[in-house]
């Protein structure tokens, strides 16, 4: 499997002859460039065009995060897989109101399905699960536009996040979900994890013919690569939240792994490392795929979602979003 | 530059002929630039190119229109390298297409397919029957690739090793 590399230390990415190194002080680590798909940069890292050009030869994507762990942007090498045909048809699905709503609904449906899946086994959260089911069944058939769909999703997400207090350790209680800035540990974790899912999804989209800027649930004007936001919805509860539950309930992450600024609460370096390790483990975890009769990793499932969208756009097969069956 | 472009166009058409015989869906997807490069492909390709980059003395550098340089050997043949002889008919037709193309340019050649893994080669000549078949194939390619939706996936043995496997069946 092509690897993701996470650089949490400060240092320098440097090309020397035909090797890429990550230098931390006097220490020099060679990077196995042939097997790297993407590099996530969390620390303060210097790099020059010589390194960038070399990295782009291998089609490697660089994702950058700020001090707090928020996604700031990506360096995407020149795209190889371009199909004008796919892009035009993707745009047609955005322009047609019905077609757009269908896809937007699919993303939300899958997200809600995975939220419910996360609560299903937790006795303590039963009332919340029922509340979500109610809200969903009541609302899903009365949606006539994206705003209503977003509203429904927002209401469900609120109930969902409230339920966390029922089964996460008490010191990680959360009043409400706040995005920017997160001022308590659980919000900091959710934001950090969502940043990661966003960039990983972008990497997968980038390997296909999809145009990351044409989206359906989110407005294309919202963010540069808003299709990544759309597809991320499916994987946030499936990947990010389960990683958070595991790390907190196993006491692998404690309050000491968080730092607080005037406005922010965020993971410190040690905390980031713990989170990234578990997150990467999750991405690499495989599940037997029934149709393919092959093992597919969680990361692979993100790619398959992209494939299904392409098939939908070219009129091959109607999109049916992932519903984790395992 | 134009010549080089023309050359890649010939190659492009050649691959399409190949796909026509392997899987029509694959042909359609390829014609829309929906392609996926699997990691194992990359490795394999690198290996083959390395093993079979013939020394310069063996090849004629400029033959027609500054075109087919690397693939024409000094014995007057054009050569294709294939990983295995499993797709035989498809491979043959691809080379026949190149021969046909050259013939339109007034150049008569023979074709060679190397199967390096099997240490085998096949020598091919363009017969009138094959010429007819090439023309038919080109027509069929036109028909398939101008359709607005791809032919549906149909499971066959080669799906398992096809770069589109996860795309078609996932
Ligand atoms: S996976 Fe099978 S159906 Fe799909 S393109 Fe390849 S050969 Fe054709």
């Amino acid at each position: 499997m092509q690897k993701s590399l996470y650089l949490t230390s400060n240092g320098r990415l440097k090309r020397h002859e035909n090797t890429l190194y990550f230098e931390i002080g006097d220490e020099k680590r060679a990077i196995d460039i042939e097997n790297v798909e993407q590099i996530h940069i969390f620390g303060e890292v210097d790099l020059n065009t010589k390194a960038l050009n070399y990295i782009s030869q291998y089609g490697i994507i660089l994702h950058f995060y700020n001090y707090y762990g928020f996604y700031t942007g990506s360096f995407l090498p020149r795209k190889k897989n371009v199909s004008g045909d796919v892009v035009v048809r993707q745009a047609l699905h955005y322009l047609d109101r019905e077609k757009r709503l269908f896809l937007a609904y699919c993303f939300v449906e899958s997200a809600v399905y995975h939220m419910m899946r996360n609560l299903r086994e937790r006795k303590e959260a039963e009332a919340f699960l029922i509340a979500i089911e109610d809200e969903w069944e009541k609302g899903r058939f009365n949606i006539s536009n994206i705003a209503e769909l977003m509203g429904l999703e927002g209401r469900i997400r609120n109930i969902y996040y409230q339920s966390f207090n029922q089964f996460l350790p008490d010191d990680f209680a959360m009043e409400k979900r706040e995005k920017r800035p997160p001022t308590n540990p659980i919000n900091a974790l959710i934001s950090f994890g969502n940043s990661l899912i966003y960039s990983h999804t972008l990497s997968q989209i980038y390997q296909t013919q999809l145009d990351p800027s044409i989206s359906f649930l989110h407005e294309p004007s919202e963010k540069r690569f808003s299709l990544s936001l759309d597809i991320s919805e499916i994987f946030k509860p499936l990947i990010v939240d389960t990683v958070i539950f595991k790390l907190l309930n196993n006491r692998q992450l404690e309050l000491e792994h968080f730092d607080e600024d005037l406005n922010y609460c965020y993971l410190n370096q040690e905390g980031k490392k713990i989170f990234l390790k578990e997150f990467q483990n999750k991405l690499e975890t495989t599940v037997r795929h029934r149709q393919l009769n092959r093992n597919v990793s969680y990361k692979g499932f993100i790619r398959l979602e992209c494939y299904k969208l392409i098939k939908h756009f070219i009129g091959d097969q109607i999109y049916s979003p992932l519903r984790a069956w395992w | 530059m134009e010549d080089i472009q023309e050359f890649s166009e010939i190659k492009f058409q050649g691959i399409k002929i190949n796909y026509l015989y392997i899987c029509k869906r694959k042909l359609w997807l390829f014609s829309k630039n929906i392609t996926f490069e699997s990691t194992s492909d990359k490795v394999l390709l690198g290996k083959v190119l390395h093993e079979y980059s013939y020394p310069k003395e063996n090849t004629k550098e400029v033959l027609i229109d500054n075109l087919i340089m690397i693939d024409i050997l000094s014995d007057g043949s054009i050569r294709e390298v294939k990983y295995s002889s499993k797709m035989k008919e498809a491979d043959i037709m691809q080379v026949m297409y190149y021969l046909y193309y050259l013939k339109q340019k007034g150049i008569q050649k023979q074709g060679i397919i190397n199967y390096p893994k099997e240490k085998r080669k096949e020598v091919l000549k363009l017969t009138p029957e094959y010429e007819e078949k090439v023309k038919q194939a080109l027509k069929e390619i036109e028909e398939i690739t101008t359709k607005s939706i791809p032919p549906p996936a149909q499971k066959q043995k080669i799906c398992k090793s096809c770069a589109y496997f996860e795309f078609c069946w996932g």
Side-chain angles (χ1 to χ4, degrees), chain B residues 22-27 29 152-156 158-160 162-169:
Chain B
I22 295 174
C23 170
K24 295 182 166 58
R25 177 177 171 87
K26 188 168 176 163
L27 165 65
L29 294 167
Q154 276 173 335
K155 253 226 179 88
Q156 41 179 337
I158 60 150
C159 287
K160 265 202 278 175
C162 176
Y164 290 97
F165 181 76
E166 297 195 332
F167 178 83
C168 289
W169 305 105

PDB file of all heavy atoms in Angstrom, chain B residues 22-27 29 152-156 158-160 162-169, ligand 1:
ATOM      1  N   ILE B  22     -10.006  -7.042 -25.845  1.00  0.00           N
ATOM      2  CA  ILE B  22      -9.948  -7.497 -24.450  1.00  0.00           C
ATOM      3  C   ILE B  22     -11.274  -7.243 -23.756  1.00  0.00           C
ATOM      4  O   ILE B  22     -11.880  -8.129 -23.160  1.00  0.00           O
ATOM      5  CB  ILE B  22      -8.815  -6.784 -23.686  1.00  0.00           C
ATOM      6  CG1 ILE B  22      -7.466  -7.190 -24.279  1.00  0.00           C
ATOM      7  CG2 ILE B  22      -8.864  -7.128 -22.212  1.00  0.00           C
ATOM      8  CD1 ILE B  22      -6.302  -6.444 -23.695  1.00  0.00           C
ATOM      9  N   CYS B  23     -11.719  -5.980 -23.808  1.00  0.00           N
ATOM     10  CA  CYS B  23     -12.967  -5.626 -23.127  1.00  0.00           C
ATOM     11  C   CYS B  23     -13.451  -4.284 -23.669  1.00  0.00           C
ATOM     12  O   CYS B  23     -12.748  -3.285 -23.605  1.00  0.00           O
ATOM     13  CB  CYS B  23     -12.732  -5.544 -21.619  1.00  0.00           C
ATOM     14  SG  CYS B  23     -14.133  -4.845 -20.714  1.00  0.00           S
ATOM     15  N   LYS B  24     -14.670  -4.279 -24.182  1.00  0.00           N
ATOM     16  CA  LYS B  24     -15.190  -3.064 -24.820  1.00  0.00           C
ATOM     17  C   LYS B  24     -15.436  -1.954 -23.811  1.00  0.00           C
ATOM     18  O   LYS B  24     -15.349  -0.769 -24.129  1.00  0.00           O
ATOM     19  CB  LYS B  24     -16.472  -3.386 -25.584  1.00  0.00           C
ATOM     20  CG  LYS B  24     -16.219  -4.326 -26.758  1.00  0.00           C
ATOM     21  CD  LYS B  24     -17.474  -4.597 -27.540  1.00  0.00           C
ATOM     22  CE  LYS B  24     -17.168  -5.244 -28.882  1.00  0.00           C
ATOM     23  NZ  LYS B  24     -16.418  -6.514 -28.777  1.00  0.00           N
ATOM     24  N   ARG B  25     -15.741  -2.349 -22.593  1.00  0.00           N
ATOM     25  CA  ARG B  25     -15.925  -1.343 -21.540  1.00  0.00           C
ATOM     26  C   ARG B  25     -14.600  -0.634 -21.237  1.00  0.00           C
ATOM     27  O   ARG B  25     -14.546   0.577 -21.090  1.00  0.00           O
ATOM     28  CB  ARG B  25     -16.453  -2.038 -20.276  1.00  0.00           C
ATOM     29  CG  ARG B  25     -16.636  -1.131 -19.071  1.00  0.00           C
ATOM     30  CD  ARG B  25     -17.236  -1.956 -17.940  1.00  0.00           C
ATOM     31  NE  ARG B  25     -17.274  -1.269 -16.670  1.00  0.00           N
ATOM     32  CZ  ARG B  25     -18.257  -0.470 -16.270  1.00  0.00           C
ATOM     33  NH1 ARG B  25     -19.272  -0.232 -17.084  1.00  0.00           N
ATOM     34  NH2 ARG B  25     -18.219   0.090 -15.089  1.00  0.00           N
ATOM     35  N   LYS B  26     -13.569  -1.439 -21.174  1.00  0.00           N
ATOM     36  CA  LYS B  26     -12.239  -0.886 -20.932  1.00  0.00           C
ATOM     37  C   LYS B  26     -11.882   0.100 -22.047  1.00  0.00           C
ATOM     38  O   LYS B  26     -11.345   1.181 -21.794  1.00  0.00           O
ATOM     39  CB  LYS B  26     -11.234  -2.048 -20.893  1.00  0.00           C
ATOM     40  CG  LYS B  26      -9.852  -1.676 -20.464  1.00  0.00           C
ATOM     41  CD  LYS B  26      -9.032  -2.939 -20.174  1.00  0.00           C
ATOM     42  CE  LYS B  26      -7.605  -2.555 -19.837  1.00  0.00           C
ATOM     43  NZ  LYS B  26      -6.872  -3.624 -19.186  1.00  0.00           N
ATOM     44  N   LEU B  27     -12.216  -0.262 -23.264  1.00  0.00           N
ATOM     45  CA  LEU B  27     -11.984   0.614 -24.408  1.00  0.00           C
ATOM     46  C   LEU B  27     -12.714   1.945 -24.242  1.00  0.00           C
ATOM     47  O   LEU B  27     -12.151   3.016 -24.436  1.00  0.00           O
ATOM     48  CB  LEU B  27     -12.449  -0.091 -25.690  1.00  0.00           C
ATOM     49  CG  LEU B  27     -12.620   0.797 -26.927  1.00  0.00           C
ATOM     50  CD1 LEU B  27     -11.281   1.370 -27.368  1.00  0.00           C
ATOM     51  CD2 LEU B  27     -13.263   0.010 -28.069  1.00  0.00           C
ATOM     52  N   LEU B  29     -13.874   3.394 -21.455  1.00  0.00           N
ATOM     53  CA  LEU B  29     -13.313   4.167 -20.338  1.00  0.00           C
ATOM     54  C   LEU B  29     -11.980   4.798 -20.740  1.00  0.00           C
ATOM     55  O   LEU B  29     -11.731   5.977 -20.492  1.00  0.00           O
ATOM     56  CB  LEU B  29     -13.126   3.258 -19.118  1.00  0.00           C
ATOM     57  CG  LEU B  29     -14.414   2.716 -18.490  1.00  0.00           C
ATOM     58  CD1 LEU B  29     -14.109   1.589 -17.497  1.00  0.00           C
ATOM     59  CD2 LEU B  29     -15.187   3.837 -17.792  1.00  0.00           C
ATOM     60  N   PRO B 152     -21.903  -2.030 -20.199  1.00  0.00           N
ATOM     61  CA  PRO B 152     -21.922  -2.500 -18.806  1.00  0.00           C
ATOM     62  C   PRO B 152     -20.785  -3.484 -18.530  1.00  0.00           C
ATOM     63  O   PRO B 152     -20.297  -4.157 -19.438  1.00  0.00           O
ATOM     64  CB  PRO B 152     -23.281  -3.188 -18.673  1.00  0.00           C
ATOM     65  CG  PRO B 152     -23.748  -3.442 -20.058  1.00  0.00           C
ATOM     66  CD  PRO B 152     -23.104  -2.425 -20.938  1.00  0.00           C
ATOM     67  N   ALA B 153     -20.387  -3.530 -17.267  1.00  0.00           N
ATOM     68  CA  ALA B 153     -19.325  -4.459 -16.879  1.00  0.00           C
ATOM     69  C   ALA B 153     -19.811  -5.891 -16.990  1.00  0.00           C
ATOM     70  O   ALA B 153     -20.943  -6.191 -16.651  1.00  0.00           O
ATOM     71  CB  ALA B 153     -18.899  -4.168 -15.446  1.00  0.00           C
ATOM     72  N   GLN B 154     -18.967  -6.714 -17.530  1.00  0.00           N
ATOM     73  CA  GLN B 154     -19.293  -8.138 -17.585  1.00  0.00           C
ATOM     74  C   GLN B 154     -18.120  -8.913 -17.046  1.00  0.00           C
ATOM     75  O   GLN B 154     -16.997  -8.748 -17.519  1.00  0.00           O
ATOM     76  CB  GLN B 154     -19.581  -8.557 -19.029  1.00  0.00           C
ATOM     77  CG  GLN B 154     -21.003  -8.262 -19.416  1.00  0.00           C
ATOM     78  CD  GLN B 154     -21.278  -8.515 -20.884  1.00  0.00           C
ATOM     79  OE1 GLN B 154     -20.359  -8.473 -21.709  1.00  0.00           O
ATOM     80  NE2 GLN B 154     -22.517  -8.762 -21.204  1.00  0.00           N
ATOM     81  N   LYS B 155     -18.413  -9.714 -16.044  1.00  0.00           N
ATOM     82  CA  LYS B 155     -17.301 -10.429 -15.404  1.00  0.00           C
ATOM     83  C   LYS B 155     -16.674 -11.421 -16.350  1.00  0.00           C
ATOM     84  O   LYS B 155     -17.333 -12.215 -16.980  1.00  0.00           O
ATOM     85  CB  LYS B 155     -17.788 -11.144 -14.143  1.00  0.00           C
ATOM     86  CG  LYS B 155     -17.298 -10.432 -12.912  1.00  0.00           C
ATOM     87  CD  LYS B 155     -16.722 -11.262 -11.813  1.00  0.00           C
ATOM     88  CE  LYS B 155     -16.289 -10.313 -10.697  1.00  0.00           C
ATOM     89  NZ  LYS B 155     -17.320  -9.991  -9.724  1.00  0.00           N
ATOM     90  N   GLN B 156     -15.375 -11.306 -16.465  1.00  0.00           N
ATOM     91  CA  GLN B 156     -14.608 -12.305 -17.193  1.00  0.00           C
ATOM     92  C   GLN B 156     -13.307 -12.555 -16.444  1.00  0.00           C
ATOM     93  O   GLN B 156     -12.974 -11.832 -15.521  1.00  0.00           O
ATOM     94  CB  GLN B 156     -14.359 -11.839 -18.630  1.00  0.00           C
ATOM     95  CG  GLN B 156     -14.009 -10.359 -18.751  1.00  0.00           C
ATOM     96  CD  GLN B 156     -13.753  -9.922 -20.169  1.00  0.00           C
ATOM     97  OE1 GLN B 156     -13.416 -10.732 -21.017  1.00  0.00           O
ATOM     98  NE2 GLN B 156     -13.888  -8.635 -20.445  1.00  0.00           N
ATOM     99  N   ILE B 158     -10.232 -12.040 -17.006  1.00  0.00           N
ATOM    100  CA  ILE B 158      -9.191 -11.019 -16.908  1.00  0.00           C
ATOM    101  C   ILE B 158      -9.544  -9.862 -15.979  1.00  0.00           C
ATOM    102  O   ILE B 158      -8.683  -9.071 -15.631  1.00  0.00           O
ATOM    103  CB  ILE B 158      -8.817 -10.439 -18.292  1.00  0.00           C
ATOM    104  CG1 ILE B 158     -10.056  -9.812 -18.926  1.00  0.00           C
ATOM    105  CG2 ILE B 158      -8.218 -11.479 -19.192  1.00  0.00           C
ATOM    106  CD1 ILE B 158      -9.679  -8.663 -19.834  1.00  0.00           C
ATOM    107  N   CYS B 159     -10.815  -9.767 -15.579  1.00  0.00           N
ATOM    108  CA  CYS B 159     -11.201  -8.684 -14.677  1.00  0.00           C
ATOM    109  C   CYS B 159     -10.287  -8.639 -13.458  1.00  0.00           C
ATOM    110  O   CYS B 159      -9.905  -7.575 -12.997  1.00  0.00           O
ATOM    111  CB  CYS B 159     -12.642  -8.850 -14.208  1.00  0.00           C
ATOM    112  SG  CYS B 159     -13.863  -8.479 -15.464  1.00  0.00           S
ATOM    113  N   LYS B 160      -9.968  -9.808 -12.948  1.00  0.00           N
ATOM    114  CA  LYS B 160      -9.202  -9.863 -11.696  1.00  0.00           C
ATOM    115  C   LYS B 160      -7.856  -9.154 -11.785  1.00  0.00           C
ATOM    116  O   LYS B 160      -7.376  -8.615 -10.801  1.00  0.00           O
ATOM    117  CB  LYS B 160      -8.995 -11.327 -11.274  1.00  0.00           C
ATOM    118  CG  LYS B 160     -10.058 -11.775 -10.280  1.00  0.00           C
ATOM    119  CD  LYS B 160      -9.589 -12.962  -9.457  1.00  0.00           C
ATOM    120  CE  LYS B 160      -9.806 -14.229 -10.250  1.00  0.00           C
ATOM    121  NZ  LYS B 160      -9.337 -15.447  -9.701  1.00  0.00           N
ATOM    122  N   CYS B 162      -7.269  -6.750 -14.075  1.00  0.00           N
ATOM    123  CA  CYS B 162      -7.481  -5.508 -14.827  1.00  0.00           C
ATOM    124  C   CYS B 162      -7.369  -4.304 -13.886  1.00  0.00           C
ATOM    125  O   CYS B 162      -7.817  -4.346 -12.743  1.00  0.00           O
ATOM    126  CB  CYS B 162      -8.878  -5.550 -15.454  1.00  0.00           C
ATOM    127  SG  CYS B 162      -9.350  -4.044 -16.315  1.00  0.00           S
ATOM    128  N   ALA B 163      -6.782  -3.232 -14.382  1.00  0.00           N
ATOM    129  CA  ALA B 163      -6.619  -2.025 -13.559  1.00  0.00           C
ATOM    130  C   ALA B 163      -7.971  -1.408 -13.190  1.00  0.00           C
ATOM    131  O   ALA B 163      -8.066  -0.597 -12.280  1.00  0.00           O
ATOM    132  CB  ALA B 163      -5.763  -0.994 -14.281  1.00  0.00           C
ATOM    133  N   TYR B 164      -9.022  -1.801 -13.908  1.00  0.00           N
ATOM    134  CA  TYR B 164     -10.351  -1.256 -13.635  1.00  0.00           C
ATOM    135  C   TYR B 164     -11.158  -2.115 -12.672  1.00  0.00           C
ATOM    136  O   TYR B 164     -12.323  -1.838 -12.429  1.00  0.00           O
ATOM    137  CB  TYR B 164     -11.153  -1.125 -14.943  1.00  0.00           C
ATOM    138  CG  TYR B 164     -10.650  -0.043 -15.869  1.00  0.00           C
ATOM    139  CD1 TYR B 164      -9.800  -0.345 -16.914  1.00  0.00           C
ATOM    140  CD2 TYR B 164     -11.034   1.282 -15.687  1.00  0.00           C
ATOM    141  CE1 TYR B 164      -9.340   0.642 -17.772  1.00  0.00           C
ATOM    142  CE2 TYR B 164     -10.581   2.274 -16.537  1.00  0.00           C
ATOM    143  CZ  TYR B 164      -9.739   1.953 -17.575  1.00  0.00           C
ATOM    144  OH  TYR B 164      -9.282   2.934 -18.418  1.00  0.00           O
ATOM    145  N   PHE B 165     -10.529  -3.179 -12.185  1.00  0.00           N
ATOM    146  CA  PHE B 165     -11.304  -4.134 -11.372  1.00  0.00           C
ATOM    147  C   PHE B 165     -12.103  -3.453 -10.262  1.00  0.00           C
ATOM    148  O   PHE B 165     -13.307  -3.629 -10.140  1.00  0.00           O
ATOM    149  CB  PHE B 165     -10.385  -5.209 -10.792  1.00  0.00           C
ATOM    150  CG  PHE B 165     -11.110  -6.227  -9.960  1.00  0.00           C
ATOM    151  CD1 PHE B 165     -11.871  -7.217 -10.564  1.00  0.00           C
ATOM    152  CD2 PHE B 165     -11.062  -6.178  -8.570  1.00  0.00           C
ATOM    153  CE1 PHE B 165     -12.551  -8.153  -9.801  1.00  0.00           C
ATOM    154  CE2 PHE B 165     -11.742  -7.105  -7.798  1.00  0.00           C
ATOM    155  CZ  PHE B 165     -12.488  -8.089  -8.413  1.00  0.00           C
ATOM    156  N   GLU B 166     -11.423  -2.634  -9.466  1.00  0.00           N
ATOM    157  CA  GLU B 166     -12.120  -2.002  -8.341  1.00  0.00           C
ATOM    158  C   GLU B 166     -13.109  -0.945  -8.826  1.00  0.00           C
ATOM    159  O   GLU B 166     -14.122  -0.695  -8.185  1.00  0.00           O
ATOM    160  CB  GLU B 166     -11.107  -1.394  -7.376  1.00  0.00           C
ATOM    161  CG  GLU B 166     -10.242  -2.484  -6.784  1.00  0.00           C
ATOM    162  CD  GLU B 166      -9.463  -2.049  -5.563  1.00  0.00           C
ATOM    163  OE1 GLU B 166      -9.167  -0.847  -5.464  1.00  0.00           O
ATOM    164  OE2 GLU B 166      -9.145  -2.924  -4.746  1.00  0.00           O
ATOM    165  N   PHE B 167     -12.799  -0.359  -9.944  1.00  0.00           N
ATOM    166  CA  PHE B 167     -13.728   0.618 -10.515  1.00  0.00           C
ATOM    167  C   PHE B 167     -15.015  -0.083 -10.972  1.00  0.00           C
ATOM    168  O   PHE B 167     -16.119   0.354 -10.658  1.00  0.00           O
ATOM    169  CB  PHE B 167     -13.070   1.331 -11.698  1.00  0.00           C
ATOM    170  CG  PHE B 167     -13.966   2.319 -12.375  1.00  0.00           C
ATOM    171  CD1 PHE B 167     -14.107   3.607 -11.887  1.00  0.00           C
ATOM    172  CD2 PHE B 167     -14.694   1.960 -13.508  1.00  0.00           C
ATOM    173  CE1 PHE B 167     -14.947   4.523 -12.498  1.00  0.00           C
ATOM    174  CE2 PHE B 167     -15.536   2.868 -14.134  1.00  0.00           C
ATOM    175  CZ  PHE B 167     -15.660   4.149 -13.628  1.00  0.00           C
ATOM    176  N   CYS B 168     -14.873  -1.164 -11.675  1.00  0.00           N
ATOM    177  CA  CYS B 168     -16.044  -1.852 -12.235  1.00  0.00           C
ATOM    178  C   CYS B 168     -16.871  -2.573 -11.173  1.00  0.00           C
ATOM    179  O   CYS B 168     -18.086  -2.582 -11.239  1.00  0.00           O
ATOM    180  CB  CYS B 168     -15.614  -2.868 -13.290  1.00  0.00           C
ATOM    181  SG  CYS B 168     -15.023  -2.117 -14.805  1.00  0.00           S
ATOM    182  N   TRP B 169     -16.185  -3.167 -10.206  1.00  0.00           N
ATOM    183  CA  TRP B 169     -16.891  -4.084  -9.318  1.00  0.00           C
ATOM    184  C   TRP B 169     -17.020  -3.615  -7.881  1.00  0.00           C
ATOM    185  O   TRP B 169     -17.655  -4.268  -7.067  1.00  0.00           O
ATOM    186  CB  TRP B 169     -16.239  -5.466  -9.380  1.00  0.00           C
ATOM    187  CG  TRP B 169     -16.180  -5.972 -10.781  1.00  0.00           C
ATOM    188  CD1 TRP B 169     -15.083  -6.046 -11.588  1.00  0.00           C
ATOM    189  CD2 TRP B 169     -17.286  -6.421 -11.584  1.00  0.00           C
ATOM    190  NE1 TRP B 169     -15.430  -6.512 -12.831  1.00  0.00           N
ATOM    191  CE2 TRP B 169     -16.775  -6.757 -12.859  1.00  0.00           C
ATOM    192  CE3 TRP B 169     -18.666  -6.576 -11.343  1.00  0.00           C
ATOM    193  CZ2 TRP B 169     -17.587  -7.219 -13.887  1.00  0.00           C
ATOM    194  CZ3 TRP B 169     -19.460  -7.047 -12.369  1.00  0.00           C
ATOM    195  CH2 TRP B 169     -18.920  -7.357 -13.614  1.00  0.00           C
TER     196      TRP B 169
HETATM  197  S1  LIG C   1     -12.657  -5.063 -14.864  1.00  0.00           S
HETATM  198 FE1  LIG C   1     -13.511  -6.445 -16.355  1.00  0.00          FE
HETATM  199  S2  LIG C   1     -15.316  -5.382 -17.118  1.00  0.00           S
HETATM  200 FE2  LIG C   1     -14.064  -3.865 -16.084  1.00  0.00          FE
HETATM  201  S3  LIG C   1     -12.821  -2.964 -17.685  1.00  0.00           S
HETATM  202 FE3  LIG C   1     -11.608  -4.582 -16.783  1.00  0.00          FE
HETATM  203  S4  LIG C   1     -12.040  -6.353 -18.033  1.00  0.00           S
HETATM  204 FE4  LIG C   1     -13.630  -4.866 -18.499  1.00  0.00          FE
END
